[in-house]
Amino acid sequence: MYPRNFSHIGISVPNLDEAVKFYREVMNWYVIMEPTLVKEEKETAIGVMCIDVFGEGWKEFKIAHLSTGDGIGIELFEFPQNDKQRNEFNPYPTGVFHFSVKDPNIEELTAKIVAAGGKQRMPIREYYPEEKPYRMVYCEDPFGNIIEIYTHSYEMHYGAGAYQHQLKD
C-alpha cells in the first residue's frame, strides 16, 4: 500500500474562455487542450463516457485542460446549465470547497488574483509566528472558486504533528 498521487481536479466555471485566461495568466498554468465543445452523442468514446458521468440530457458543454508546474491536471468545465457563479461562500456542505496552491511569494500571487477580478478573503496569516516562516491566505477566483495559497509544502505546514502541537497551545 502507498499513498496515491493526485492526478487532477475538475472546476466548473460560468465562462470557460475567461477562466482559461485567468488561470493561464495568474497561476501561470499551461494549457494542454484549448477550450473544446463536447456534444452529447453515442458515436465516440468521449461522448459515451460523458453520458456515463453526467447522464442524459446535458446536450453539450465546453472543456479545457490545463496543468500546474508539478503536472497536476486542471479540468475546467462550462455547462450551459450554469446560469450564475457561486455568490456565497459556504464551506459546510459535504464536498470540495477549495483547492490550494503553493507560492513562496504569497503577497504577489494574492495581488494578481485581486487585480484579475478575484478576492482576498482574509489577511495573510502566519502558522507559527516567530518560529517558522509558513504563511497562508484564502482567496477567490473571479468565478467564485476558493483558492488557498501556502508559502510552503503541505508536509512542511502539517508534518510531524505540527498542527496538533499548535492546537494544544
Side-chain angles (χ1 to χ4, degrees):
M1 298 287 289
Y2 62 92
R4 302 302 188 261
N5 293 327
F6 201 87
S7 172
H8 69 275
I9 187 169
I11 302 171
S12 191
V13 296
N15 185 308
L16 188 64
D17 295 323
E18 288 179 14
V20 168
K21 182 179 189 291
F22 173 83
Y23 285 109
R24 178 188 285 154
E25 293 177 3
V26 173
M27 296 295 183
N28 295 327
W29 294 343
Y30 56 94
V31 176
I32 297 171
M33 183 182 86
E34 293 288 341
T36 302
L37 184 67
V38 177
K39 293 189 173 273
E40 182 178 358
E41 47 79 16
K42 297 180 181 178
E43 287 75 45
T44 66
I46 189 73
V48 171
M49 181 191 67
C50 288
I51 291 169
D52 288 344
V53 173
F54 303 120
E56 294 188 359
W58 47 270
K59 295 185 177 128
E60 66 182 28
F61 65 88
K62 291 183 357 184
I63 187 170
H65 295 271
L66 291 83
S67 183
T68 65
D70 57 349
I72 303 301
I74 310 296
E75 289 181 321
L76 296 176
F77 293 87
E78 178 189 327
F79 295 99
Q81 300 87 337
N82 182 346
D83 59 357
K84 62 181 177 179
Q85 71 182 39
R86 178 180 29 222
N87 53 1
E88 178 182 314
F89 176 70
N90 186 356
Y92 306 113
T94 300
V96 177
F97 81 88
H98 77 278
F99 64 91
S100 182
V101 298
K102 180 177 64 172
D103 191 321
N105 193 339
I106 196 169
E107 292 86 2
E108 181 181 342
L109 181 54
T110 301
K112 285 176 74 174
I113 289 169
V114 171
K119 297 177 187 171
Q120 181 175 347
R121 298 200 57 85
M122 61 177 285
I124 295 171
R125 298 281 187 205
E126 292 184 10
Y127 268 86
Y128 310 101
E130 300 176 28
E131 275 184 57
K132 300 175 183 178
Y134 305 165
R135 295 177 297 141
M136 60 80 65
V137 65
Y138 272 73
C139 294
E140 186 173 318
D141 74 10
F143 319 104
N145 297 298
I146 306 301
I147 304 168
E148 182 179 13
I149 307 168
Y150 274 10
T151 55
H152 293 74
S153 73
Y154 194 76
E155 295 89 356
M156 290 178 76
H157 275 271
Y158 295 111
Y163 191 60
Q164 289 80 10
H165 171 73
Q166 184 180 14
L167 291 175
K168 289 179 186 175
D169 292 345

